[in-house]
Amino acid sequence: MANKENLWGAVQLGPDNPAEACALLPQLARNEIAAIKIGHFLDKEELAVIKANMEGQTIAWYANKTHQQGRIGINATGFSHLLDGKREYFDATPAAEQDRDKIFKGTHSPINKILEFFGNGFDAQIATEPELQQARYFAGLIRAMGAKSTLHFDFAPKQLPGWSVADADEQFGLVLYLQMPAAGGELNIYDHPWTPEDERHNNDHVEKGTFGFTEDFLGDTPYASVQPSEGDLVVFKTRNFHQVGEIKSDKPRLGLTTFMSQQGDRLSLWS
């Protein structure tokens, strides 16, 4: 049976509504809403500067058999399966931050802009790792999508045990859309938070995200489809299964992504 869209959907706000966005996070955590979409979080001038700076950057495409996916930057789950992955991740963070900041040169850093936005209701900061002398996490991975993504979830307690971000009360995902294809590339969020029983449908064996979960295992679970425009920021609960829809263009979908973990009144960004 095919999945069905329902009235469980996204709440739309503007960039001048930070207090409202902060107030909605508890509802998002309880799955009462599917997402918060903040329209025009970046204006046209900011987008133009970032896109121009990206022209000199190389996208590292994954050696994936079925999906065209790439990135600029690093992500913790790409290191978690390595023997000394945590240390390797934090060793790689300074260089990744330098490359990221080159992309933001000439405009207000979107990461700082996100921190300021959610700082209206919370203590918002970059996540740190106490085990490694409060080493700072990287935040601001740019994901490139040339085709639909795997069906997956993101949940640090399962995927990053032993990392400080796994101790949070809640985990959200933020996607700031820098470039959208002519058609497709929507974010489909399913009203089904991951449970351990779902692992029998997981086709990944070593590194997360290579093959993802069997696409039809969710049956008729309702989902919300969020179709963003360039410059929009979408916030959602990442323990819910989610997937980027088919991209119908030769232009890839580019999104600046970061997780946002909540612990009490503190929000921490990390990728």
Coordinates of all heavy atoms in Angstrom, one line a residue, residues 158-215:
K158 N 21.5 6.4 18.6 CA 21.7 5.2 17.9 C 23.0 5.2 17.0 O 23.7 4.2 17.0 CB 20.5 4.9 16.9 CG 20.7 3.9 15.9 CD 20.9 2.5 16.4 CE 21.1 1.5 15.3 NZ 21.5 0.1 15.8
Q159 N 23.2 6.3 16.3 CA 24.3 6.3 15.3 C 25.6 6.9 15.9 O 26.7 6.6 15.2 CB 23.8 7.2 14.1 CG 22.7 6.5 13.4 CD 21.7 7.5 12.7 OE1 21.8 8.7 12.9 NE2 20.9 6.9 11.8
L160 N 25.6 7.6 17.0 CA 26.8 8.1 17.6 C 26.9 7.9 19.1 O 27.1 8.8 19.9 CB 26.9 9.7 17.3 CG 27.0 10.1 15.8 CD1 26.8 11.6 15.7 CD2 28.4 9.7 15.3
P161 N 26.8 6.6 19.5 CA 27.0 6.3 20.9 C 28.4 6.7 21.4 O 29.3 6.5 20.7 CB 26.7 4.8 21.0 CG 27.1 4.3 19.6 CD 26.6 5.4 18.7
G162 N 28.4 7.4 22.6 CA 29.7 7.8 23.1 C 30.1 9.2 22.7 O 31.1 9.7 23.2
W163 N 29.4 9.8 21.8 CA 29.6 11.2 21.4 C 28.7 12.1 22.3 O 27.5 11.7 22.6 CB 29.3 11.5 19.9 CG 30.2 10.7 19.0 CD1 30.4 9.3 19.0 CD2 31.0 11.2 17.9 NE1 31.3 9.0 17.9 CE2 31.6 10.1 17.3 CE3 31.2 12.5 17.4 CZ2 32.4 10.3 16.1 CZ3 32.0 12.6 16.3 CH2 32.6 11.5 15.7
S164 N 29.1 13.3 22.6 CA 28.3 14.1 23.5 C 26.9 14.5 22.9 O 25.9 14.6 23.7 CB 29.0 15.4 23.9 OG 29.2 16.2 22.8
V165 N 26.8 14.6 21.6 CA 25.5 14.9 21.0 C 24.5 13.8 21.2 O 23.3 14.1 21.0 CB 25.7 15.3 19.5 CG1 26.5 16.6 19.4 CG2 26.4 14.2 18.7
A166 N 24.9 12.6 21.6 CA 24.0 11.6 21.8 C 23.2 11.7 23.1 O 22.3 11.0 23.4 CB 24.7 10.2 21.7
D167 N 23.6 12.7 23.9 CA 23.0 12.8 25.3 C 21.9 13.8 25.3 O 21.3 14.2 26.3 CB 24.1 13.3 26.3 CG 25.2 12.3 26.5 OD1 24.9 11.1 26.3 OD2 26.3 12.7 26.8
A168 N 21.5 14.4 24.1 CA 20.5 15.4 24.0 C 19.1 14.8 24.2 O 18.9 13.6 24.1 CB 20.6 16.1 22.7
D169 N 18.2 15.7 24.6 CA 16.8 15.4 24.8 C 16.1 15.2 23.5 O 15.2 14.4 23.3 CB 16.0 16.4 25.6 CG 16.7 16.7 26.9 OD1 17.1 15.7 27.6 OD2 16.7 17.9 27.4
E170 N 16.5 16.0 22.5 CA 15.8 15.9 21.2 C 16.8 16.3 20.1 O 17.8 17.0 20.3 CB 14.6 16.9 21.2 CG 13.7 16.7 20.0 CD 13.2 15.3 19.8 OE1 12.3 14.9 20.6 OE2 13.6 14.6 18.9
Q171 N 16.6 15.8 18.9 CA 17.4 16.1 17.7 C 16.6 16.6 16.6 O 15.7 15.9 16.1 CB 18.3 14.9 17.3 CG 19.2 15.2 16.2 CD 20.1 14.0 15.9 OE1 20.4 13.2 16.8 NE2 20.4 13.8 14.6
F172 N 16.9 17.8 16.0 CA 16.3 18.3 14.9 C 17.2 18.4 13.7 O 18.5 18.4 13.9 CB 15.7 19.7 15.2 CG 14.8 19.8 16.4 CD1 15.2 20.4 17.5 CD2 13.5 19.3 16.3 CE1 14.4 20.4 18.6 CE2 12.7 19.3 17.4 CZ 13.1 19.9 18.6
G173 N 16.7 18.5 12.5 CA 17.5 18.7 11.3 C 17.2 20.0 10.7 O 16.0 20.4 10.7
L174 N 18.2 20.8 10.3 CA 17.9 22.0 9.6 C 18.5 22.0 8.2 O 19.7 21.5 8.0 CB 18.6 23.2 10.4 CG 17.9 23.7 11.6 CD1 18.0 22.7 12.8 CD2 18.5 25.0 12.1
V175 N 17.8 22.3 7.2 CA 18.2 22.4 5.8 C 18.0 23.8 5.3 O 16.8 24.2 5.3 CB 17.6 21.3 4.9 CG1 18.2 21.4 3.5 CG2 17.7 19.9 5.5
L176 N 19.0 24.5 4.9 CA 18.9 25.8 4.3 C 19.2 25.6 2.8 O 20.3 25.2 2.4 CB 20.0 26.7 5.0 CG 20.0 28.2 4.4 CD1 18.7 28.8 4.5 CD2 21.1 29.0 5.2
Y177 N 18.2 25.9 2.0 CA 18.3 25.5 0.6 C 19.0 26.6 -0.2 O 18.5 27.7 -0.3 CB 16.8 25.3 0.1 CG 16.2 24.0 0.7 CD1 15.6 24.1 1.9 CD2 16.4 22.8 0.1 CE1 15.1 22.9 2.5 CE2 15.9 21.6 0.7 CZ 15.2 21.7 1.9 OH 14.7 20.6 2.5
L178 N 20.1 26.2 -0.8 CA 20.9 27.1 -1.6 C 20.6 27.1 -3.1 O 20.8 28.0 -3.8 CB 22.4 26.8 -1.3 CG 22.9 26.8 0.1 CD1 24.3 26.4 0.2 CD2 22.7 28.1 0.8
Q179 N 20.2 25.9 -3.5 CA 19.9 25.7 -4.9 C 18.9 24.6 -5.1 O 19.1 23.5 -4.5 CB 21.2 25.4 -5.7 CG 20.9 25.1 -7.2 CD 22.2 24.9 -8.0 OE1 22.9 25.9 -8.3 NE2 22.6 23.7 -8.3
M180 N 17.8 24.8 -5.8 CA 16.8 23.8 -6.0 C 16.7 23.5 -7.5 O 16.9 24.3 -8.4 CB 15.4 24.3 -5.5 CG 15.3 24.4 -4.0 SD 15.4 22.7 -3.3 CE 13.9 22.0 -3.9
P181 N 16.4 22.2 -7.8 CA 16.3 21.8 -9.2 C 15.0 22.4 -9.8 O 14.1 22.9 -9.1 CB 16.2 20.3 -9.1 CG 15.6 20.0 -7.8 CD 16.2 21.1 -6.9
A182 N 14.9 22.3 -11.1 CA 13.7 22.8 -11.8 C 12.4 22.2 -11.3 O 11.4 22.8 -11.2 CB 13.8 22.7 -13.3
A183 N 12.5 20.9 -10.9 CA 11.4 20.2 -10.4 C 11.8 19.1 -9.5 O 12.9 18.5 -9.7 CB 10.5 19.6 -11.6
G184 N 11.0 18.7 -8.5 CA 11.4 17.7 -7.6 C 12.3 18.2 -6.5 O 12.4 19.4 -6.2
G185 N 12.9 17.2 -5.8 CA 13.8 17.6 -4.7 C 13.1 17.9 -3.4 O 13.7 18.5 -2.5
E186 N 11.8 17.6 -3.3 CA 11.0 17.9 -2.1 C 11.5 17.0 -0.9 O 12.2 16.0 -1.1 CB 9.5 17.7 -2.3 CG 9.1 16.2 -2.4 CD 9.3 15.6 -3.8 OE1 9.9 16.4 -4.7 OE2 8.9 14.5 -4.1
L187 N 11.2 17.5 0.3 CA 11.6 16.7 1.5 C 10.3 16.0 2.0 O 9.4 16.7 2.4 CB 12.2 17.6 2.6 CG 12.4 17.0 4.0 CD1 13.5 15.9 3.9 CD2 12.9 18.1 5.0
N188 N 10.3 14.7 2.0 CA 9.2 13.9 2.5 C 9.5 13.4 3.9 O 10.5 12.7 4.1 CB 8.9 12.7 1.5 CG 8.5 13.2 0.2 OD1 7.7 14.1 0.1 ND2 9.0 12.6 -0.9
I189 N 8.7 13.8 4.8 CA 8.9 13.4 6.2 C 7.8 12.5 6.7 O 6.6 12.9 6.6 CB 8.9 14.7 7.1 CG1 9.9 15.7 6.6 CG2 9.3 14.3 8.6 CD1 9.7 17.1 7.2
Y190 N 8.1 11.3 7.2 CA 7.1 10.3 7.5 C 6.8 10.4 9.0 O 7.7 10.6 9.9 CB 7.6 8.9 7.2 CG 7.7 8.8 5.7 CD1 8.9 9.2 5.0 CD2 6.7 8.3 4.9 CE1 9.1 9.1 3.7 CE2 6.8 8.2 3.5 CZ 8.0 8.6 2.9 OH 8.1 8.5 1.5
D191 N 5.5 10.2 9.4 CA 5.1 10.3 10.7 C 5.4 8.9 11.4 O 4.5 8.2 11.9 CB 3.6 10.5 10.8 CG 3.0 10.9 12.1 OD1 3.9 11.0 13.1 OD2 1.8 11.0 12.3
H192 N 6.7 8.6 11.5 CA 7.1 7.4 12.0 C 8.5 7.5 12.6 O 9.5 7.5 11.8 CB 7.1 6.3 11.0 CG 7.5 4.9 11.5 ND1 6.6 3.9 11.8 CD2 8.7 4.4 11.8 CE1 7.3 2.8 12.3 NE2 8.6 3.1 12.2
P193 N 8.7 7.8 13.9 CA 10.1 7.9 14.4 C 10.7 6.5 14.5 O 10.0 5.5 14.8 CB 9.8 8.4 15.9 CG 8.4 9.0 15.8 CD 7.7 8.2 14.8
W194 N 12.0 6.5 14.2 CA 12.7 5.2 14.2 C 12.5 4.5 15.6 O 12.6 5.1 16.6 CB 14.2 5.4 13.9 CG 15.0 4.2 14.2 CD1 15.3 3.2 13.3 CD2 15.7 3.9 15.4 NE1 16.1 2.3 13.9 CE2 16.4 2.6 15.2 CE3 15.8 4.5 16.6 CZ2 17.1 2.0 16.2 CZ3 16.6 3.9 17.6 CH2 17.2 2.7 17.4
T195 N 12.4 3.2 15.5 CA 12.4 2.3 16.7 C 13.4 1.2 16.4 O 13.7 0.8 15.2 CB 11.0 1.7 17.0 OG1 10.6 0.8 16.0 CG2 10.0 2.8 17.2
P196 N 14.0 0.5 17.4 CA 14.9 -0.6 17.2 C 14.3 -1.7 16.3 O 15.1 -2.3 15.5 CB 15.2 -1.1 18.6 CG 15.0 0.1 19.5 CD 13.9 0.8 18.9
E197 N 13.0 -1.9 16.3 CA 12.4 -3.0 15.5 C 12.5 -2.7 14.0 O 12.5 -3.6 13.2 CB 10.9 -3.1 15.9 CG 10.7 -3.7 17.3 CD 10.9 -2.7 18.4 OE1 10.9 -1.5 18.2 OE2 11.2 -3.2 19.5
D198 N 12.7 -1.4 13.7 CA 12.8 -1.0 12.3 C 14.1 -1.5 11.6 O 14.2 -1.5 10.4 CB 12.7 0.5 12.1 CG 11.3 1.0 12.5 OD1 10.3 0.3 12.4 OD2 11.2 2.2 13.0
E199 N 15.1 -1.8 12.5 CA 16.4 -2.2 11.9 C 16.4 -3.4 11.0 O 17.3 -3.6 10.2 CB 17.4 -2.4 13.1 CG 17.9 -1.2 13.7 CD 18.6 -0.2 12.7 OE1 19.6 -0.7 12.1 OE2 18.1 0.9 12.6
R200 N 15.4 -4.2 11.1 CA 15.3 -5.4 10.2 C 15.1 -4.9 8.7 O 15.3 -5.7 7.8 CB 14.2 -6.3 10.6 CG 12.8 -5.8 10.5 CD 11.8 -6.8 11.1 NE 10.4 -6.4 10.9 CZ 9.8 -5.6 11.8 NH1 10.4 -5.2 12.9 NH2 8.5 -5.3 11.6
H201 N 14.7 -3.7 8.5 CA 14.6 -3.1 7.2 C 15.8 -2.3 6.7 O 15.7 -1.7 5.6 CB 13.3 -2.3 7.1 CG 12.1 -3.0 7.5 ND1 11.5 -4.0 6.8 CD2 11.3 -2.9 8.7 CE1 10.4 -4.5 7.4 NE2 10.3 -3.8 8.6
N202 N 16.8 -2.3 7.5 CA 18.0 -1.4 7.2 C 18.9 -2.2 6.3 O 19.4 -3.3 6.7 CB 18.7 -1.0 8.6 CG 19.7 0.0 8.4 OD1 20.1 0.4 7.2 ND2 20.2 0.6 9.5
N203 N 19.3 -1.6 5.2 CA 20.2 -2.3 4.2 C 21.6 -1.8 4.4 O 22.5 -2.3 3.6 CB 19.7 -2.0 2.8 CG 18.3 -2.6 2.6 OD1 18.0 -3.7 2.9 ND2 17.3 -1.7 2.2
D204 N 21.9 -0.9 5.3 CA 23.3 -0.5 5.6 C 23.9 -1.5 6.5 O 23.3 -1.9 7.5 CB 23.3 0.9 6.2 CG 22.9 2.0 5.2 OD1 23.1 1.8 4.0 OD2 22.3 3.0 5.7
H205 N 25.2 -1.8 6.2 CA 25.9 -2.7 7.0 C 27.2 -2.1 7.7 O 27.6 -2.6 8.8 CB 26.4 -3.9 6.2 CG 25.2 -4.6 5.5 ND1 24.2 -5.3 6.2 CD2 24.9 -4.7 4.2 CE1 23.4 -5.8 5.3 NE2 23.7 -5.4 4.1
V206 N 27.8 -1.1 7.1 CA 28.9 -0.5 7.8 C 28.7 1.0 8.0 O 28.4 1.4 9.1 CB 30.2 -0.7 6.9 CG1 31.4 0.0 7.5 CG2 30.5 -2.2 6.7
E207 N 28.7 1.8 6.9 CA 28.5 3.2 7.0 C 27.1 3.6 6.7 O 26.4 3.0 5.8 CB 29.4 3.9 6.0 CG 29.3 5.4 6.1 CD 30.4 6.1 5.2 OE1 31.1 5.4 4.6 OE2 30.4 7.4 5.2
K208 N 26.5 4.4 7.6 CA 25.1 4.9 7.5 C 24.9 5.6 6.1 O 25.7 6.4 5.6 CB 24.8 5.8 8.6 CG 23.5 6.6 8.4 CD 23.3 7.7 9.5 CE 22.2 8.6 9.1 NZ 22.5 9.5 8.0
G209 N 23.7 5.3 5.5 CA 23.2 6.0 4.4 C 23.6 5.5 3.0 O 23.1 6.1 2.0
T210 N 24.4 4.5 2.9 CA 24.8 4.0 1.6 C 23.6 3.4 0.8 O 23.4 3.7 -0.4 CB 25.9 2.9 1.7 OG1 27.0 3.5 2.5 CG2 26.4 2.5 0.4
F211 N 22.8 2.6 1.5 CA 21.7 2.0 0.8 C 20.4 2.4 1.5 O 19.3 2.3 0.9 CB 21.8 0.5 0.8 CG 23.1 0.0 0.1 CD1 24.2 -0.4 0.8 CD2 23.1 0.0 -1.3 CE1 25.3 -0.8 0.2 CE2 24.3 -0.4 -1.9 CZ 25.4 -0.8 -1.2
G212 N 20.4 2.7 2.8 CA 19.2 3.1 3.5 C 18.2 2.0 3.8 O 18.6 0.8 3.7
F213 N 17.0 2.3 4.1 CA 16.0 1.4 4.5 C 15.1 1.0 3.3 O 15.0 1.8 2.3 CB 15.1 2.0 5.6 CG 15.7 2.0 6.9 CD1 16.8 2.8 7.2 CD2 15.2 1.1 7.9 CE1 17.4 2.8 8.5 CE2 15.8 1.1 9.2 CZ 16.9 1.9 9.5
T214 N 14.6 -0.2 3.3 CA 13.7 -0.7 2.2 C 12.6 0.3 2.1 O 11.9 0.6 3.1 CB 13.2 -2.1 2.6 OG1 14.3 -3.0 2.7 CG2 12.3 -2.6 1.5
E215 N 12.4 0.8 0.9 CA 11.5 2.0 0.7 C 10.0 1.7 1.0 O 9.3 2.6 1.4 CB 11.6 2.6 -0.7 CG 13.0 3.2 -0.9 CD 13.0 4.1 -2.1 OE1 12.0 4.5 -2.6 OE2 14.1 4.5 -2.5

